């Protein structure tokens, strides 16, 4: 009849998502414990450094000793960044669980060796740096294969939750390590390595007994030239960045050093050679055709930008708290490392809350919108931090660092799920390695960028401010100018180590010649923070502005991953890989 309404066709109910089996939960629990442990060890040493260097009787701020300090901080991440792709590819070839289990063993053995340092001074530092390299190799074996193991174990509709939980464990480990390092170092510096033993031993036995390789395995020839050029190329670039922020021939930084320039240029050249090799060999270490998948490429670019925006900020927040805010609020320098970790706990709480929730939501609604919204929150947190005064009210600081953690968690889970779900099953190990390489390389680059910007800013204003302040309290002009002309990186690392840099730079001989009132002020809690806060704040604004800009770019890259589609079967994945068609 005219005007009659056509009855609506009832909607087909959406089929329930398949539930993970018991093995999937075992894989999630084991890999989450492993990733948390590996990430914890990347940051726990930062806060424990004062106790470690006291324990081996080495002054980290002495002439030439900053190199040991930097390698203790940077070496772990550098090794992981270089090796995760190679180790992920080996997992694809010989078994992801096998490679993962061996990583547990290597990590645990290295932790034991680190705690039995038989040397003192520079020998003790070299012992720790060397075994930290081995520990980083074990951590890279865990990180390169954990995401692939989870992707194999969980159905596509539940991967966001699983990978999100794993990723948030890594991010939470970074910040919980700051508190754990302070607590353990107060007891014994060796305890920061002992903490790995229970998890390492139990996790190793658990992994060997319960995990199984249920992913695709494709044995083939090892791409030796690809492995060598990638490792040497990326390693040279990251080593160049490490030495670029160190003083060189009277300059505050070493970017004009021929050695640093040679490492950077040579490293880039080797990476270009790597790309040529990978496009020619029959069985490459990493199939460059994966970058034809828009979701994979956009996710990795976004992840790299986030890592650059976030990696060095951890150090700036620590320096802000330890070098300025905490001393101005009555905390002694030897207490500041522990309290800096405690006051950064709102950021960790933000990770822990938003990460799993965003993973669950991305399983239902897709990754693009949630990850992009996370970047918007992330960028706004940097804008808020820019607006804070140096001597801030803590509630405002806690709010903005919590937002920073929430934004990171909102991005990390969906982005990891999107990357790992976009590649064919046979390539999940190398894809996981590439994702971790972008993340670790971005962190190393971020530390170089952030310290470069901060040192450049301090070099312009700190020397005159420091010299005037010292002369005002009776320090001879020649000695004041000599102290003020020392590289600002020493002052920054003094703050990281919880050391009063003025007391350290002047030395007991010069201090003893000054009036008692001047000695008390120079060695007190407020003299250096009061001088540092204006130059440091100028550098902070630049650093936070750069991080906010990178966050916006990461959000735009996240939008490019495309709309969500129904998860494809392995056969569709393979055909999509060849055609380069994107899946949301």
């Amino acid at each position: 009849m005219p005007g009659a309404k056509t009855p609506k066709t009832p909607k087909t109910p959406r089929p329930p998502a398949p539930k993970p089996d018991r093995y999937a939960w075992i894989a999630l629990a084991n890999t989450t414990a492993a990733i948390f442990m590996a990430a914890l060890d990347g940051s726990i040493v930062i806060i424990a450094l004062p106790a470690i260097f006291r324990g081996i009787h080495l002054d980290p701020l002495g002439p030439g000793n900053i190199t040991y300090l930097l390698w203790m901080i940077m070496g772990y991440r550098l090794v992981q960044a270089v090796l995760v792709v190679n180790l992920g590819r080996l997992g694809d070839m010989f078994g992801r669980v096998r490679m993962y289990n061996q990583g547990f063993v290597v990590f645990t053995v290295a932790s034991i060796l680190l705690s039995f340092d038989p040397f003192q001074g520079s020998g003790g530092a070299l012992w720790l740096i060397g075994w930290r390299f081995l520990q980083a190799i074990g951590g890279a074996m865990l990180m390169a294969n954990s995401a692939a193991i989870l992707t194999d174990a969980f159905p596509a509709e539940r991967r966001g939750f699983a990978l999100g939980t794993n990723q948030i464990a890594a991010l939470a480990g970074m910040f919980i390590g700051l508190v754990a390092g302070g607590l353990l170092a107060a007891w014994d510096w060796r305890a920061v390595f002992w903490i790995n033993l229970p998890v390492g031993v139990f996790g190793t036995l658990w992994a060997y007994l319960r995990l199984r390789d249920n992913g695709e395995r494709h044995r083939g020839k090892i791409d030796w030239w690809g492995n060598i050029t990638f490792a040497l190329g990326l390693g040279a670039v990251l080593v160049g960045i490490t030495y670029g922020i160190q003083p060189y021939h009277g300059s505050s930084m070493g970017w004009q050093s021929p050695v640093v320039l040679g490492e950077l240029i040579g490293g880039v050249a080797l990476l270009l050679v790597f790309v040529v090799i990978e496009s020619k060999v029959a069985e490459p270490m990493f199939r460059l055709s994966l970058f034809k998948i828009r979701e994979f490429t956009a996710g990795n670019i976004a992840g790299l930008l986030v890592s650059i925006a976030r990696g060095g900020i951890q150090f700036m927040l620590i320096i802000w708290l330890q070098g300025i805010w905490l001393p101005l609020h009555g905390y002694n320098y030897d207490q500041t490392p522990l309290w800096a970790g405690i006051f950064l706990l709102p950021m960790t709480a933000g990770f822990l809350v938003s990460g799993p929730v965003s993973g669950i939501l991305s399983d239902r609604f897709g990754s693009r919108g949630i990850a992009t919204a996370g970047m918007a929150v992330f960028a706004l947190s940097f804008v808020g931090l820019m607006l804070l005064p140096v001597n801030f009210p803590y509630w405002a600081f806690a709010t903005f660092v919590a937002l920073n953690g929430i934004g990171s968690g909102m991005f990390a889970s969906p982005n990891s799920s999107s990357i790992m779900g976009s590649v064919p099953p046979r390539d999940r190990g190398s894809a996981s390695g590439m994702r971790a390489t972008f993340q670790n390389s971005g962190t190393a680059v971020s530390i170089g960028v952030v310290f470069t910007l901060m040192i450049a800013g301090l070099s312009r204003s700190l020397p005159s401010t420091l010299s005037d302040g010292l002369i005002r309290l009776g320090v001879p002009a020649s000695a004041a100018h000599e102290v003020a002309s020392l590289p600002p990186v020493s002052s920054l690392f003094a703050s990281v180590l919880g050391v009063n840099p003025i007391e350290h730079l002047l030395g007991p001989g010069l201090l003893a010649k000054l009036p008692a009132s001047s000695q008390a002020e120079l060695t007190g809690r407020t003299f250096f923070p009061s001088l540092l806060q204006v130059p440091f704040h100028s550098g902070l604004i630049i650093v936070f502005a750069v991080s906010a800009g990178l966050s916006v770019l990461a959000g735009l890259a996240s939008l490019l991953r495309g709309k969500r589609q129904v998860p494809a079967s392995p056969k569709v994945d393979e055909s999509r890989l060849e055609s380069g068609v994107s899946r949301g």
Side-chain angles (χ1 to χ4, degrees):
M1 292 177 62
K5 293 183 179 179
T6 305
K8 293 183 179 179
T9 305
K11 292 184 178 180
T12 304
R14 183 178 180 177
K19 294 183 178 180
D21 59 17
R22 188 163 179 260
Y23 170 75
W25 296 114
I26 292 173
L28 177 61
N30 191 280
T31 56
T32 297
I35 293 303
F36 178 82
M37 180 181 70
L40 181 85
D41 232 71
S43 62
I44 196 171
V45 170
I46 296 173
I47 294 298
L49 281 174
I52 290 173
F53 279 101
R54 283 196 302 270
I56 62 174
H57 300 100
L58 180 68
D59 178 5
L61 299 178
N65 290 346
I66 288 180
T67 300
Y68 298 129
L69 178 64
L70 272 174
W71 277 107
M72 285 288 291
I73 294 172
M74 297 278 286
Y76 186 83
R77 297 192 186 281
L78 189 151
V79 171
Q80 286 192 337
V82 168
L83 292 182
V84 283
V85 174
N86 313 59
L87 296 171
R89 173 60 177 157
L90 292 176
D92 288 338
M93 294 171 60
F94 302 110
R96 292 157 192 161
V97 169
R98 175 185 295 181
M99 189 65 58
Y100 173 88
N101 290 347
Q102 291 172 356
F104 242 134
V105 174
V106 171
F107 191 95
T108 305
V109 169
S111 298
I112 295 172
L113 293 170
L114 278 162
S115 66
F116 290 102
D117 190 343
F119 302 109
Q120 299 290 316
S122 59
L126 290 173
W127 173 279
L128 293 174
I129 291 168
W131 292 120
R132 281 282 283 175
F133 284 174
L134 181 65
Q135 191 182 47
I137 293 172
M141 296 168 79
L142 294 172
M143 288 187 169
N145 293 283
S146 62
I149 290 171
L150 284 180
T151 306
D152 291 337
F154 275 80
E157 294 84 358
R158 297 296 179 94
R159 282 177 192 153
F161 167 75
L163 291 168
T165 301
N166 213 238
Q167 183 76 1
I168 294 308
L171 294 172
M174 290 171 56
F175 285 94
I176 291 175
L178 299 178
V179 179
L183 292 172
L184 293 171
W187 172 43
D188 191 315
W189 69 266
R190 301 172 194 271
V192 302
F193 304 115
W194 293 338
I195 193 176
N196 297 322
L197 300 187
V199 178
V201 172
F202 177 75
T204 300
L205 294 174
W206 187 18
Y208 269 96
L209 292 174
R210 303 303 300 273
L211 295 186
R212 62 176 184 263
D213 258 314
N214 56 2
E216 292 188 22
R217 187 185 304 179
H218 295 269
R219 289 184 178 273
K221 295 180 179 179
I222 296 177
D223 175 18
W224 290 108
W225 285 112
N227 279 271
I228 290 170
T229 52
F230 181 81
L232 291 179
L234 183 58
V237 170
L238 296 181
V239 169
I241 291 171
T242 301
Y243 281 103
I245 60 177
Q246 297 187 48
Y248 172 74
H249 286 187
S251 176
S252 59
M253 289 180 286
W255 294 112
Q256 73 274 32
S257 164
V259 174
V260 170
L261 292 174
E263 287 168 340
L264 295 175
I265 296 171
V268 171
L270 282 172
L271 290 175
L272 293 175
V273 172
F274 163 76
V275 172
V276 173
I277 291 172
E278 298 304 279
S279 64
K280 302 292 184 183
V281 297
E283 298 182 29
M285 180 189 90
F286 184 82
R287 287 205 288 161
L288 297 178
S289 55
L290 289 176
F291 285 106
K292 294 180 181 178
I293 303 174
R294 187 172 67 174
E295 188 175 4
F296 178 81
T297 302
N300 276 305
I301 291 173
L304 175 65
L305 292 170
V306 171
S307 293
I308 297 174
R310 179 181 58 211
I313 294 301
Q314 182 185 49
F315 286 94
M316 290 302 104
L317 295 177
I318 290 171
I319 292 170
W320 193 358
L321 288 170
Q322 291 185 195
I324 299 176
W325 194 85
L326 287 168
L328 290 177
H329 284 77
Y331 293 83
N332 292 325
Y333 276 96
D334 58 356
Q335 298 175 333
T336 57
L338 171 61
W339 283 100
I342 293 173
F343 280 121
L344 285 172
L345 282 177
M347 182 178 286
T348 306
F351 287 143
L352 295 176
V353 170
S354 66
V357 172
S358 63
I360 294 170
L361 293 176
S362 70
D363 287 336
R364 183 172 180 82
F365 301 109
S367 299
R368 184 173 69 161
I370 297 171
T372 305
M375 282 299 92
V377 174
F378 196 58
L380 287 174
S381 72
F382 287 118
V383 174
L385 289 169
M386 286 172 59
L387 298 176
L388 287 181
V390 177
N391 196 2
F392 50 77
Y394 178 69
W395 67 265
F397 178 83
T399 299
F400 291 127
V401 296
L403 286 175
N404 192 277
I406 291 170
S408 292
M410 289 175 65
F411 172 82
S413 302
N415 195 60
S416 295
S417 176
S418 173
I419 291 171
M420 294 303 300
S422 68
V423 300
R426 61 174 293 178
D427 292 301
R428 283 172 182 164
S430 55
S432 175
M434 183 59 74
R435 178 185 61 86
T437 293
F438 277 111
Q439 180 174 311
N440 287 310
S441 300
T443 299
V445 170
S446 177
I447 293 172
V449 170
V450 165
F451 271 100
T452 296
L453 293 172
M454 184 58 69
I455 292 169
L458 291 179
S459 297
R460 288 193 296 268
S461 54
L462 183 60
S464 59
T465 304
L466 181 56
S467 177
D468 293 343
L470 292 173
I471 293 172
R472 177 175 56 82
L473 290 176
V475 176
S478 58
H481 290 310
E482 182 179 351
V483 169
S485 64
L486 292 174
V489 69
S490 297
S491 299
L492 290 178
F493 281 127
S495 298
V496 173
L497 294 169
V499 174
N500 184 338
I502 299 300
E503 185 175 1
H504 183 277
L505 294 173
L506 290 177
L510 183 55
L511 279 171
K513 298 177 182 178
L514 299 176
S517 58
S518 296
Q519 292 184 42
E521 186 168 350
L522 287 168
T523 59
R525 291 189 294 262
T526 61
F527 176 74
F528 185 71
S530 298
L531 292 180
L532 183 62
Q533 58 181 333
V534 174
F536 185 75
H537 189 245
S538 300
L540 270 183
I541 291 175
I542 297 172
V543 168
F544 288 147
V546 170
S547 292
L550 289 170
S551 305
V552 171
L553 292 176
L556 294 175
S558 181
L559 282 174
L560 295 176
R561 75 179 77 239
K563 294 182 179 180
R564 182 175 187 255
Q565 296 179 4
V566 177
S569 67
K571 290 184 179 179
V572 175
D573 275 340
E574 292 284 358
S575 62
R576 185 162 58 87
L577 174 65
E578 299 302 326
S579 63
V581 177
S582 172
R583 166 179 158 270

